[in-house]
Amino acid sequence: MSLSQVASSIPASPTIALNEEARLLREKGEPVIHLGIGEPKNKTPITAILSSAAKLASGDVKYVPTDGTPSLKKAIVRYSEENYDRVVAPQNIIVSDGAKQSLFNTLFTLCNPQDEVIVIAPYWVSYPEMIRMIGAIPVIVTPEDGSFVPRFEEIEQAVGSYTKAIIVNSPNNPSGMVYPENLISKIVDLCEHKGIYMICDDIYHKLVFDGKVAVPACKYTQHDVENSKIILVNGVAKLYGMTGFRVGWVIAPKKLVAIMTNVQSQTTTCVSPVMQAAAEGALTGMQSIVESLRLSIQNNRDVLMQELHSFTDVHCVKPQGTFYALPDFKAYCRNSVAKNSVELCQFLLKKALVVTVPGKEFGMENHLRLSYAGTVKEITEGIERMKWALDPNAPSEIYIGDRKLVRDWL
Ligand code: PMP
Protein backbone atom coordinates (compact mmCIF):
# COMPACT_ATOMS: atom_id res chain seq x y z
CA MET A 1 0.00 0.00 0.00
CA SER A 2 1.48 3.32 -1.03
CA LEU A 3 0.54 6.24 1.21
CA SER A 4 1.61 9.86 1.41
CA GLN A 5 5.23 10.03 2.52
CA VAL A 6 4.63 13.27 4.37
CA ALA A 7 1.56 11.99 6.23
CA SER A 8 3.27 8.70 7.05
CA SER A 9 6.25 10.55 8.49
CA ILE A 10 4.15 12.51 11.01
CA PRO A 11 4.24 10.96 14.49
CA ALA A 12 1.22 11.09 16.81
CA SER A 13 1.23 14.07 19.14
CA PRO A 14 3.13 12.66 22.15
CA THR A 15 1.00 14.56 24.64
CA ILE A 16 -2.20 13.23 23.14
CA ALA A 17 -0.78 9.69 22.92
CA LEU A 18 0.21 9.86 26.61
CA ASN A 19 -3.25 11.14 27.56
CA GLU A 20 -4.73 8.10 25.86
CA GLU A 21 -2.30 5.74 27.58
CA ALA A 22 -3.18 7.27 30.96
CA ARG A 23 -6.90 7.00 30.20
CA LEU A 24 -6.60 3.31 29.35
CA LEU A 25 -4.60 2.61 32.52
CA ARG A 26 -7.19 4.47 34.62
CA GLU A 27 -9.96 2.49 32.94
CA LYS A 28 -8.20 -0.65 34.15
CA GLY A 29 -8.36 0.78 37.67
CA GLU A 30 -4.69 1.78 37.90
CA PRO A 31 -4.04 4.77 40.25
CA VAL A 32 -2.38 6.90 37.59
CA ILE A 33 -1.22 10.45 38.38
CA HIS A 34 -1.32 12.70 35.37
CA LEU A 35 1.41 15.33 35.33
CA GLY A 36 1.35 15.26 31.55
CA ILE A 37 -1.95 16.81 30.71
CA GLY A 38 -2.26 20.43 29.55
CA GLU A 39 -5.69 21.34 30.80
CA PRO A 40 -6.99 22.99 33.96
CA LYS A 41 -9.42 21.13 36.19
CA ASN A 42 -11.97 23.95 36.56
CA LYS A 43 -15.54 23.53 35.40
CA THR A 44 -16.69 25.34 32.26
CA PRO A 45 -17.70 28.95 33.05
CA ILE A 46 -21.45 29.11 33.62
CA THR A 47 -21.89 31.85 31.01
CA ALA A 48 -20.35 29.52 28.41
CA ILE A 49 -22.64 26.67 29.44
CA LEU A 50 -25.75 28.87 29.33
CA SER A 51 -25.06 30.43 25.95
CA SER A 52 -24.19 27.12 24.29
CA ALA A 53 -27.19 25.43 25.94
CA ALA A 54 -29.45 28.20 24.60
CA LYS A 55 -28.09 27.70 21.11
CA LEU A 56 -28.60 23.96 21.35
CA ALA A 57 -32.12 24.35 22.76
CA SER A 58 -33.08 26.62 19.87
CA GLY A 59 -32.83 23.58 17.62
CA ASP A 60 -31.30 25.87 15.05
CA VAL A 61 -27.85 24.34 14.75
CA LYS A 62 -26.81 24.74 11.13
CA TYR A 63 -23.83 25.80 9.06
CA VAL A 64 -22.67 29.27 10.00
CA PRO A 65 -20.18 31.59 8.28
CA THR A 66 -16.82 29.88 7.74
CA ASP A 67 -14.84 32.62 9.46
CA GLY A 68 -17.00 32.67 12.60
CA THR A 69 -20.40 33.84 13.82
CA PRO A 70 -20.80 37.63 13.79
CA SER A 71 -21.55 37.68 17.51
CA LEU A 72 -18.44 35.70 18.51
CA LYS A 73 -16.38 37.94 16.25
CA LYS A 74 -17.87 40.96 18.00
CA ALA A 75 -16.77 39.49 21.34
CA ILE A 76 -13.26 38.92 19.94
CA VAL A 77 -13.11 42.51 18.66
CA ARG A 78 -13.89 43.65 22.20
CA TYR A 79 -11.43 41.18 23.73
CA SER A 80 -8.76 42.55 21.46
CA GLU A 81 -9.51 46.15 22.46
CA GLU A 82 -9.60 45.37 26.16
CA ASN A 83 -6.61 43.06 26.36
CA TYR A 84 -4.38 44.24 23.53
CA ASP A 85 -5.45 47.84 23.13
CA ARG A 86 -5.79 46.95 19.46
CA VAL A 87 -8.60 47.98 17.14
CA VAL A 88 -9.50 45.12 14.82
CA ALA A 89 -12.33 44.69 12.33
CA PRO A 90 -14.44 41.53 12.06
CA GLN A 91 -12.71 40.89 8.70
CA ASN A 92 -9.41 40.62 10.57
CA ILE A 93 -10.69 37.59 12.48
CA ILE A 94 -11.13 33.94 11.60
CA VAL A 95 -12.45 31.43 14.14
CA SER A 96 -11.24 27.83 13.92
CA ASP A 97 -11.51 24.49 15.72
CA GLY A 98 -9.05 25.33 18.46
CA ALA A 99 -5.85 27.32 18.33
CA LYS A 100 -4.30 24.19 16.83
CA GLN A 101 -6.32 24.55 13.64
CA SER A 102 -5.73 28.30 13.72
CA LEU A 103 -1.98 27.67 13.67
CA PHE A 104 -2.17 25.04 10.97
CA ASN A 105 -4.30 27.28 8.74
CA THR A 106 -1.95 30.19 9.31
CA LEU A 107 1.12 28.17 8.35
CA PHE A 108 -0.66 26.60 5.37
CA THR A 109 -1.73 30.02 4.15
CA LEU A 110 1.69 31.64 4.56
CA CYS A 111 4.14 29.05 3.32
CA ASN A 112 5.25 27.66 0.01
CA PRO A 113 7.13 24.35 -0.06
CA GLN A 114 10.72 24.88 1.10
CA ASP A 115 9.90 28.11 2.95
CA GLU A 116 11.40 28.22 6.42
CA VAL A 117 9.67 28.91 9.71
CA ILE A 118 11.76 29.71 12.78
CA VAL A 119 10.77 27.82 15.94
CA ILE A 120 12.38 28.62 19.28
CA ALA A 121 13.31 25.71 21.55
CA PRO A 122 11.89 24.61 23.85
CA TYR A 123 8.79 24.65 21.65
CA TRP A 124 5.28 23.28 21.65
CA VAL A 125 5.40 19.79 20.12
CA SER A 126 3.09 20.50 17.20
CA TYR A 127 4.92 23.44 15.58
CA PRO A 128 7.66 21.48 13.76
CA GLU A 129 5.25 18.75 12.65
CA MET A 130 2.70 21.25 11.30
CA ILE A 131 5.47 23.01 9.39
CA ARG A 132 6.64 19.70 7.90
CA MET A 133 3.06 18.75 7.01
CA ILE A 134 2.69 21.76 4.76
CA GLY A 135 6.02 21.05 3.05
CA ALA A 136 7.90 23.89 4.72
CA ILE A 137 11.03 23.56 6.86
CA PRO A 138 11.22 24.16 10.60
CA VAL A 139 14.41 25.98 11.59
CA ILE A 140 14.97 25.38 15.28
CA VAL A 141 16.77 28.00 17.36
CA THR A 142 18.08 26.44 20.57
CA PRO A 143 19.50 28.89 23.12
CA GLU A 144 23.20 28.11 23.25
CA ASP A 145 23.57 28.87 26.94
CA GLY A 146 21.12 26.07 27.82
CA SER A 147 18.52 28.57 29.05
CA PHE A 148 14.92 28.66 27.87
CA VAL A 149 15.13 32.15 26.38
CA PRO A 150 17.14 32.74 23.21
CA ARG A 151 19.39 35.70 22.66
CA PHE A 152 18.04 37.98 19.94
CA GLU A 153 21.21 37.42 17.89
CA GLU A 154 20.51 33.67 17.81
CA ILE A 155 17.13 34.33 16.18
CA GLU A 156 18.55 36.95 13.84
CA GLN A 157 21.26 34.55 12.64
CA ALA A 158 18.62 31.93 11.77
CA VAL A 159 16.84 34.30 9.37
CA GLY A 160 17.61 33.62 5.72
CA SER A 161 16.11 34.39 2.33
CA TYR A 162 13.56 31.56 2.72
CA THR A 163 12.34 32.62 6.17
CA LYS A 164 8.59 33.21 6.08
CA ALA A 165 7.72 33.44 9.76
CA ILE A 166 8.91 33.20 13.34
CA ILE A 167 6.64 31.53 15.90
CA VAL A 168 6.76 33.14 19.32
CA ASN A 169 4.99 31.45 22.23
CA SER A 170 5.28 33.46 25.43
CA PRO A 171 4.30 32.44 28.10
CA ASN A 172 5.93 29.34 26.77
CA ASN A 173 4.76 25.77 26.65
CA PRO A 174 6.76 23.80 27.91
CA SER A 175 9.16 26.01 29.91
CA GLY A 176 6.69 28.45 31.49
CA MET A 177 9.04 31.32 30.61
CA VAL A 178 7.78 34.76 29.65
CA TYR A 179 10.13 36.29 27.08
CA PRO A 180 11.61 39.64 28.11
CA GLU A 181 9.99 42.73 26.62
CA ASN A 182 13.13 43.83 24.82
CA LEU A 183 13.39 40.45 23.08
CA ILE A 184 9.77 40.72 21.90
CA SER A 185 10.27 44.28 20.68
CA LYS A 186 13.45 43.33 18.80
CA ILE A 187 11.68 40.39 17.11
CA VAL A 188 8.88 42.75 16.03
CA ASP A 189 11.48 45.12 14.55
CA LEU A 190 13.30 42.28 12.81
CA CYS A 191 10.09 40.93 11.27
CA GLU A 192 8.94 44.34 10.07
CA HIS A 193 12.36 45.15 8.70
CA LYS A 194 12.74 41.86 6.84
CA GLY A 195 9.10 41.39 5.84
CA ILE A 196 8.72 38.21 7.90
CA TYR A 197 5.54 37.26 9.74
CA MET A 198 5.62 37.00 13.53
CA ILE A 199 3.12 34.38 14.63
CA CYS A 200 2.31 35.04 18.28
CA ASP A 201 0.77 32.02 19.97
CA ASP A 202 -0.86 33.81 22.89
CA ILE A 203 -2.93 30.93 24.21
CA TYR A 204 -1.52 31.36 27.78
CA HIS A 205 -1.23 35.16 27.75
CA LYS A 206 -3.09 35.82 31.02
CA LEU A 207 -1.70 32.86 32.94
CA VAL A 208 1.34 34.69 34.33
CA PHE A 209 2.60 34.79 37.91
CA ASP A 210 4.08 37.09 40.54
CA GLY A 211 2.76 40.27 38.95
CA LYS A 212 4.51 39.60 35.65
CA VAL A 213 2.84 40.67 32.41
CA ALA A 214 3.26 38.99 29.04
CA VAL A 215 3.51 42.19 27.03
CA PRO A 216 1.90 41.66 23.63
CA ALA A 217 4.03 42.04 20.52
CA CYS A 218 1.58 44.54 19.01
CA LYS A 219 2.63 47.08 21.66
CA TYR A 220 5.89 47.45 19.72
CA THR A 221 4.55 48.07 16.25
CA GLN A 222 3.63 51.41 14.72
CA HIS A 223 1.41 49.63 12.21
CA ASP A 224 -2.29 48.87 12.46
CA VAL A 225 -3.48 45.26 12.03
CA GLU A 226 -3.89 45.72 8.29
CA ASN A 227 -0.28 46.69 7.73
CA SER A 228 1.34 44.68 10.46
CA LYS A 229 3.42 41.50 10.20
CA ILE A 230 2.08 40.31 13.55
CA ILE A 231 -0.40 37.44 13.44
CA LEU A 232 -2.10 36.76 16.73
CA VAL A 233 -3.37 33.30 17.66
CA ASN A 234 -5.57 32.82 20.69
CA GLY A 235 -8.41 30.68 22.04
CA VAL A 236 -10.55 29.73 25.00
CA ALA A 237 -8.92 26.38 25.81
CA LYS A 238 -6.41 27.39 28.46
CA LEU A 239 -7.61 30.63 30.08
CA TYR A 240 -11.15 29.37 30.58
CA GLY A 241 -10.33 25.66 30.92
CA MET A 242 -12.45 24.99 27.82
CA THR A 243 -10.16 22.53 26.05
CA GLY A 244 -13.02 20.33 24.86
CA PHE A 245 -14.92 23.15 23.13
CA ARG A 246 -12.31 23.52 20.42
CA VAL A 247 -12.50 27.22 19.66
CA GLY A 248 -9.50 29.33 18.66
CA TRP A 249 -9.00 32.33 16.43
CA VAL A 250 -6.50 34.30 14.39
CA ILE A 251 -6.21 38.07 14.06
CA ALA A 252 -4.38 39.06 10.89
CA PRO A 253 -4.60 41.39 7.87
CA LYS A 254 -7.88 41.03 5.94
CA LYS A 255 -6.22 39.62 2.83
CA LEU A 256 -4.66 36.80 4.80
CA VAL A 257 -7.89 36.09 6.69
CA ALA A 258 -9.77 35.92 3.37
CA ILE A 259 -7.40 33.24 2.07
CA MET A 260 -7.51 31.34 5.36
CA THR A 261 -11.29 31.44 5.11
CA ASN A 262 -11.18 29.88 1.63
CA VAL A 263 -8.90 27.15 2.96
CA GLN A 264 -11.16 26.49 5.94
CA SER A 265 -14.25 26.47 3.72
CA GLN A 266 -12.72 23.58 1.79
CA THR A 267 -11.75 21.61 4.88
CA THR A 268 -13.96 22.03 7.95
CA THR A 269 -16.59 24.55 6.67
CA CYS A 270 -17.09 26.23 10.04
CA VAL A 271 -16.81 25.76 13.79
CA SER A 272 -20.00 24.39 15.36
CA PRO A 273 -22.26 27.33 16.34
CA VAL A 274 -22.90 25.61 19.69
CA MET A 275 -19.20 25.80 20.50
CA GLN A 276 -18.92 29.35 19.19
CA ALA A 277 -21.80 30.35 21.46
CA ALA A 278 -19.89 28.81 24.38
CA ALA A 279 -16.74 30.78 23.51
CA GLU A 280 -18.79 33.96 23.26
CA GLY A 281 -20.29 33.24 26.68
CA ALA A 282 -16.80 32.84 28.15
CA LEU A 283 -15.43 36.01 26.56
CA THR A 284 -18.38 38.19 27.55
CA GLY A 285 -18.96 36.64 30.99
CA MET A 286 -17.25 37.34 34.29
CA GLN A 287 -13.50 37.52 33.75
CA SER A 288 -12.78 36.87 37.44
CA ILE A 289 -12.86 33.21 36.42
CA VAL A 290 -9.55 33.64 34.62
CA GLU A 291 -8.05 35.39 37.64
CA SER A 292 -9.09 32.65 40.05
CA LEU A 293 -7.67 30.03 37.69
CA ARG A 294 -4.45 32.02 37.49
CA LEU A 295 -4.20 32.24 41.27
CA SER A 296 -4.80 28.55 41.84
CA ILE A 297 -2.25 27.65 39.18
CA GLN A 298 0.30 30.03 40.68
CA ASN A 299 -0.21 28.24 43.99
CA ASN A 300 0.25 24.89 42.23
CA ARG A 301 3.47 26.21 40.71
CA ASP A 302 4.75 27.06 44.19
CA VAL A 303 3.84 23.59 45.47
CA LEU A 304 5.61 21.97 42.54
CA MET A 305 8.76 24.08 43.03
CA GLN A 306 8.86 23.18 46.72
CA GLU A 307 8.47 19.48 45.95
CA LEU A 308 11.18 19.63 43.31
CA HIS A 309 13.62 21.37 45.67
CA SER A 310 13.91 18.25 47.76
CA PHE A 311 14.56 16.14 44.66
CA THR A 312 18.28 15.49 44.56
CA ASP A 313 20.03 16.49 41.34
CA VAL A 314 16.98 18.03 39.67
CA HIS A 315 17.20 21.66 38.67
CA CYS A 316 14.08 23.57 37.64
CA VAL A 317 13.84 27.10 36.28
CA LYS A 318 10.88 28.70 38.08
CA PRO A 319 8.02 29.08 35.60
CA GLN A 320 6.68 32.61 35.16
CA GLY A 321 3.44 31.52 33.49
CA THR A 322 1.38 28.69 31.85
CA PHE A 323 0.90 25.51 33.87
CA TYR A 324 4.06 23.71 32.87
CA ALA A 325 7.56 23.36 34.22
CA LEU A 326 10.53 21.82 32.46
CA PRO A 327 12.92 20.48 35.11
CA ASP A 328 16.32 19.15 34.15
CA PHE A 329 16.50 15.39 34.83
CA LYS A 330 19.93 14.96 33.27
CA ALA A 331 21.18 13.19 36.38
CA TYR A 332 18.57 10.49 35.83
CA CYS A 333 18.99 10.16 32.08
CA ARG A 334 22.31 8.43 32.06
CA ASN A 335 21.99 5.27 34.11
CA SER A 336 20.62 1.78 33.68
CA VAL A 337 17.05 3.01 34.25
CA ALA A 338 16.97 5.50 31.38
CA LYS A 339 19.34 6.76 28.74
CA ASN A 340 17.15 9.69 27.74
CA SER A 341 13.95 11.55 28.58
CA VAL A 342 11.75 9.19 26.53
CA GLU A 343 12.97 6.16 28.49
CA LEU A 344 12.72 8.04 31.77
CA CYS A 345 9.14 9.01 31.02
CA GLN A 346 8.24 5.41 30.13
CA PHE A 347 9.96 4.16 33.26
CA LEU A 348 8.04 6.56 35.51
CA LEU A 349 4.75 5.61 33.91
CA LYS A 350 5.40 1.87 34.19
CA LYS A 351 6.88 1.75 37.67
CA ALA A 352 5.39 4.73 39.50
CA LEU A 353 2.23 5.22 37.41
CA VAL A 354 3.07 8.89 36.91
CA VAL A 355 2.57 10.51 33.51
CA THR A 356 5.20 13.05 32.43
CA VAL A 357 6.20 14.17 28.93
CA PRO A 358 9.76 13.69 27.59
CA GLY A 359 11.69 16.92 27.02
CA LYS A 360 12.92 15.51 23.72
CA GLU A 361 9.48 16.18 22.22
CA PHE A 362 9.92 19.89 22.97
CA GLY A 363 13.47 20.06 21.68
CA MET A 364 15.02 19.82 25.19
CA GLU A 365 16.44 16.35 25.77
CA ASN A 366 17.15 15.27 29.38
CA HIS A 367 14.23 17.32 30.69
CA LEU A 368 10.70 16.28 31.63
CA ARG A 369 7.68 18.49 31.15
CA LEU A 370 5.48 18.45 34.22
CA SER A 371 2.01 19.94 34.19
CA TYR A 372 0.68 21.52 37.38
CA ALA A 373 -2.77 22.18 35.98
CA GLY A 374 -4.23 19.47 38.23
CA THR A 375 -4.74 19.40 42.00
CA VAL A 376 -2.18 20.05 44.75
CA LYS A 377 -2.63 16.43 45.85
CA GLU A 378 -1.76 15.15 42.39
CA ILE A 379 1.34 17.33 42.26
CA THR A 380 2.67 16.35 45.69
CA GLU A 381 1.84 12.67 45.30
CA GLY A 382 3.19 12.57 41.74
CA ILE A 383 6.55 14.07 42.71
CA GLU A 384 6.77 11.88 45.85
CA ARG A 385 6.24 8.81 43.69
CA MET A 386 8.86 9.97 41.20
CA LYS A 387 11.34 10.50 44.05
CA TRP A 388 10.61 7.03 45.37
CA ALA A 389 11.00 5.44 41.95
CA LEU A 390 14.36 7.08 41.34
CA ASP A 391 15.89 6.76 44.80
CA PRO A 392 18.01 3.60 45.20
CA ASN A 393 17.75 3.89 48.98
CA ALA A 394 13.95 4.08 49.08
CA PRO A 395 11.88 1.16 50.38
CA SER A 396 11.47 -1.50 47.72
CA GLU A 397 7.66 -1.48 47.89
CA ILE A 398 4.96 1.09 48.47
CA TYR A 399 1.18 0.77 48.48
CA ILE A 400 -1.21 3.09 46.72
CA GLY A 401 -4.48 1.86 48.26
CA ASP A 402 -4.16 -1.86 47.72
CA ARG A 403 -2.02 -1.50 44.59
CA LYS A 404 1.57 -2.47 45.30
CA LEU A 405 4.32 -0.59 43.46
CA VAL A 406 7.66 -2.38 43.46
CA ARG A 407 11.08 -0.76 43.12
CA ASP A 408 13.13 -3.70 41.90
CA TRP A 409 15.28 -2.20 39.20
CA LEU A 410 18.17 -0.32 40.80
N1 PMP B 1 -0.54 26.46 21.37
C1 PMP B 1 0.03 25.97 22.49
C2 PMP B 1 1.34 26.53 22.92
C3 PMP B 1 -0.59 24.96 23.21
O1 PMP B 1 -0.01 24.50 24.32
C4 PMP B 1 -1.82 24.44 22.76
C5 PMP B 1 -2.53 23.30 23.46
N2 PMP B 1 -1.79 22.47 24.22
C6 PMP B 1 -2.37 24.97 21.59
C7 PMP B 1 -1.71 25.98 20.92
C8 PMP B 1 -3.68 24.45 21.03
O2 PMP B 1 -4.77 24.92 21.73
P1 PMP B 1 -6.26 24.44 21.36
O3 PMP B 1 -6.64 23.44 22.40
O4 PMP B 1 -7.09 25.68 21.39
O5 PMP B 1 -6.21 23.82 20.01
Side-chain angles (χ1 to χ4, degrees):
M1 186 172 48
S2 164
L3 299 176
S4 147
Q5 280 180 14
V6 176
S8 308
S9 75
I10 303 297
S13 157
T15 41
I16 288 178
L18 279 162
N19 271 356
E20 187 54 15
E21 206 170 330
R23 194 186 63 78
L24 292 174
L25 282 168
R26 275 194 179 140
E27 236 172 54
K28 281 197 218 151
E30 292 283 30
V32 172
I33 293 194
H34 210 331
L35 301 182
I37 201 157
E39 59 186 355
K41 282 257 164 18
N42 65 319
K43 291 273 185 228
T44 304
I46 188 69
T47 48
I49 295 174
L50 291 177
S51 55
S52 53
K55 182 67 199 164
L56 197 54
S58 75
D60 181 27
V61 182
K62 309 285 185 198
Y63 292 133
V64 286
T66 293
D67 51 343
T69 59
S71 57
L72 174 57
K73 283 193 170 207
K74 212 165 134 191
I76 295 170
V77 167
R78 213 164 73 213
Y79 188 87
S80 185
E81 278 168 19
E82 281 168 10
N83 294 281
Y84 290 89
D85 200 13
R86 194 94 166 132
V87 178
V88 305
Q91 300 92 317
N92 292 122
I93 299 168
I94 171 168
V95 178
S96 299
D97 284 294
K100 210 173 215 178
Q101 195 197 5
S102 302
L103 282 158
F104 186 84
N105 278 357
T106 303
L107 291 164
F108 187 79
T109 302
L110 290 182
C111 296
N112 283 310
Q114 301 307 311
D115 276 349
E116 295 179 352
V117 179
I118 295 178
V119 174
I120 301 164
Y123 47 75
W124 180 45
V125 287
S126 296
Y127 299 145
E129 300 308 334
M130 284 185 188
I131 296 165
R132 280 190 199 104
M133 264 189 257
I134 57 159
I137 300 167
V139 174
I140 311 290
V141 171
T142 306
E144 229 174 63
D145 60 3
S147 76
F148 295 150
V149 178
R151 282 184 303 115
F152 170 69
E153 291 72 26
E154 292 174 310
I155 298 174
E156 197 179 26
Q157 277 158 22
V159 173
S161 51
Y162 286 96
T163 308
K164 212 30 160 322
I166 303 175
I167 304 182
V168 175
N169 173 222
S170 167
N172 178 267
N173 173 8
S175 71
M177 293 311 283
V178 174
Y179 291 170
E181 276 192 54
N182 77 337
L183 177 63
I184 299 285
S185 76
K186 282 181 176 171
I187 302 175
V188 173
D189 277 354
L190 176 72
C191 288
E192 289 185 343
H193 195 69
K194 299 256 181 192
I196 300 167
Y197 286 96
M198 177 173 181
I199 304 173
C200 296
D201 181 348
D202 262 28
I203 192 99
Y204 299 97
H205 78 119
K206 286 194 198 177
L207 295 181
V208 282
F209 313 136
D210 312 318
K212 226 179 163 59
V213 178
V215 179
C218 58
K219 186 181 159 194
Y220 299 103
T221 180
Q222 306 295 325
H223 302 292
D224 59 13
V225 180
E226 252 338 89
N227 298 299
S228 170
K229 288 285 164 195
I230 298 169
I231 297 176
L232 187 79
V233 178
N234 218 327
V236 292
K238 311 292 177 172
L239 300 193
Y240 300 92
M242 288 172 63
T243 48
F245 284 82
R246 313 304 310 128
V247 179
W249 60 86
V250 172
I251 296 180
K254 288 176 191 165
K255 201 170 147 205
L256 214 137
V257 167
I259 299 172
M260 287 177 71
T261 306
N262 291 345
V263 170
Q264 193 158 287
S265 77
Q266 300 286 8
T267 52
T268 53
T269 302
C270 63
V271 178
S272 159
V274 179
M275 301 308 157
Q276 294 198 57
E280 188 186 331
L283 294 185
T284 54
M286 275 195 330
Q287 298 306 298
S288 54
I289 284 170
V290 180
E291 179 58 8
S292 25
L293 180 65
R294 190 191 71 75
L295 283 173
S296 75
I297 286 175
Q298 179 173 294
N299 181 55
N300 285 3
R301 188 268 324 248
D302 292 341
V303 172
L304 178 80
M305 288 308 290
Q306 202 170 348
E307 284 292 324
L308 285 174
H309 274 147
S310 59
F311 208 132
T312 332
D313 298 333
V314 171
H315 172 67
C316 185
V317 179
K318 194 176 181 181
Q320 301 167 326
T322 71
F323 30 69
Y324 309 107
L326 193 64
D328 184 341
F329 272 83
K330 206 187 292 103
Y332 296 92
C333 287
R334 44 165 112 103
N335 55 30
S336 55
V337 165
K339 301 265 175 303
N340 52 48
S341 60
V342 175
E343 285 184 19
L344 184 61
C345 165
Q346 281 161 359
F347 169 83
L348 291 169
L349 180 57
K350 200 163 150 225
K351 300 295 186 177
L353 295 175
V354 178
V355 183
T356 59
V357 190
K360 175 178 171 278
E361 313 290 0
F362 305 94
M364 280 281 152
E365 186 43 290
N366 297 332
H367 292 68
L368 289 181
R369 191 194 73 173
L370 305 179
S371 160
Y372 44 93
T375 61
V376 166
K377 188 167 177 289
E378 281 171 318
I379 296 163
T380 45
E381 207 177 314
I383 303 293
E384 287 307 320
R385 271 198 225 173
M386 287 167 68
K387 277 186 215 162
W388 166 78
L390 293 168
D391 178 1
N393 302 314
S396 60
E397 296 173 4
I398 55 167
Y399 278 88
I400 311 295
D402 51 12
R403 170 73 155 90
K404 183 160 79 173
L405 299 181
V406 183
R407 198 188 59 71
D408 58 356
W409 50 90
L410 286 170

